Amino acid sequence: MDKVQEPELPVRKVDTASLKALAHPLRVQILEMLSRYGAQTACSLAELLNESSGATSYHLRQLAKFDFVREVQGKGTARERWWERPKGAIQITSPELAHSPATQEASRLVTREFERSRQAVLADFMAHGMESLDEEWLEAAIVNTANARMSAEQLGRYARAMEAVGRKLLEEIRSEPEADDARPVQIHINAFPILGVPAWAGDKKSRDAKSHAASTAATTEGKES
């Protein structure tokens, strides 16, 4: 029997116009709040972000022009519209956008704002999780870092496999009835080449040469002493 192909998670690759439309701190924050907490109104977003409802309403309309958000059909009124983020991932970075002078700064702003938000919630959990969460939540959570030396092919293979496993499990959980004690949960899976390392650590040959030089120096010093 042929294996049923599972549907791929939609991935939207932004173009120059949509990236520039997203490149505003409040618009990135609105998108993050909709991702984190689900559908919201301009008023509820204003409360979450400590902004005016006029500001959130304006930026929601601008995001809607480029399909970053959409109105929830059949919910709300003409005076209180509900907004949601369409299902799927958004790919902000690409070689074309990264190397274009017209989009470099916009790309930096968007990725910086998303990362600032991720760091803030993680820092808040690390600082206050012990005092504000029940033991079952603390035992369920994990903050874990692994380090390895990989080629670009190995990193890509690892990242794609982790993404596929995580996506499959996440869809299974999302398909289950929501538990009474459910609360917003944020998941990070980071795997990236480390930048700014010493030159001798850049590749195996250089690292081995550095190790050999250090060993020779230690032996020489021992003899001289």
Side-chain angles (χ1 to χ4, degrees):
M1 180 182 294
D2 293 337
K3 183 178 180 181
V4 177
Q5 183 69 32
E6 295 183 4
E8 290 290 326
L9 183 71
V11 178
R12 175 185 176 179
K13 298 180 180 180
V14 300
D15 56 18
T16 299
S18 57
L19 177 62
K20 288 183 176 181
L22 183 59
H24 186 288
L26 186 53
R27 294 179 192 178
V28 176
Q29 292 167 22
I30 287 173
L31 207 57
E32 180 68 16
M33 292 301 104
L34 294 176
S35 301
R36 193 182 299 177
Y37 301 117
Q40 302 289 325
T41 65
C43 289
S44 63
L45 284 167
E47 186 175 353
L48 285 169
L49 296 169
N50 196 28
E51 293 283 346
S52 70
S53 59
T56 55
S57 179
Y58 169 77
H59 288 295
L60 279 166
R61 294 195 300 271
Q62 301 309 306
L63 287 168
K65 289 180 180 179
F66 291 87
D67 300 319
F68 286 114
V69 303
R70 65 188 177 193
E71 190 173 355
V72 180
Q73 297 300 315
K75 187 173 184 178
T77 65
R79 297 188 62 183
E80 187 179 54
R81 303 161 72 184
W82 285 79
W83 300 88
E84 66 182 356
R85 175 179 168 177
K87 182 179 180 180
I90 299 175
Q91 182 176 323
I92 301 298
T93 57
S94 69
E96 295 77 17
L97 294 174
H99 295 133
S100 169
T103 56
Q104 282 180 345
E105 186 54 37
S107 181
R108 290 193 192 101
L109 186 152
V110 173
T111 54
R112 183 170 61 241
E113 194 61 35
F114 272 127
E115 186 58 32
R116 185 202 64 77
S117 179
R118 285 192 288 263
Q119 290 177 354
V121 292
L122 177 59
D124 190 43
F125 169 74
M126 297 295 288
H128 304 293
M130 293 288 291
E131 64 196 48
S132 59
L133 292 173
D134 295 335
E135 185 176 343
E136 62 176 343
W137 282 101
L138 294 174
E139 290 181 352
I142 181 171
V143 178
N144 192 10
T145 299
N147 293 280
R149 294 187 63 82
M150 300 183 186
S151 66
E153 184 278 329
Q154 289 171 326
L155 176 58
R157 176 156 40 97
Y158 176 86
R160 287 190 296 271
M162 290 292 291
E163 183 181 33
V165 171
R167 184 171 66 241
K168 183 176 184 298
L169 181 56
L170 192 57
E171 288 305 314
E172 289 177 1
I173 291 173
R174 283 173 171 166
S175 68
E176 298 172 0
E178 186 171 295
D180 292 338
D181 66 341
R183 62 187 298 159
V185 171
Q186 191 163 96
I187 303 164
H188 297 180
I189 300 177
N190 298 329
F192 51 87
I194 299 173
L195 305 180
V197 298
W200 62 264
D203 56 60
K204 187 177 186 300
K205 183 178 179 181
S206 298
R207 191 169 65 256
D208 288 346
K210 176 74 174 181
S211 177
H212 175 72
S215 176
T216 303
T219 302
T220 302
E221 290 170 359
K223 287 182 179 179
E224 288 177 350
S225 65

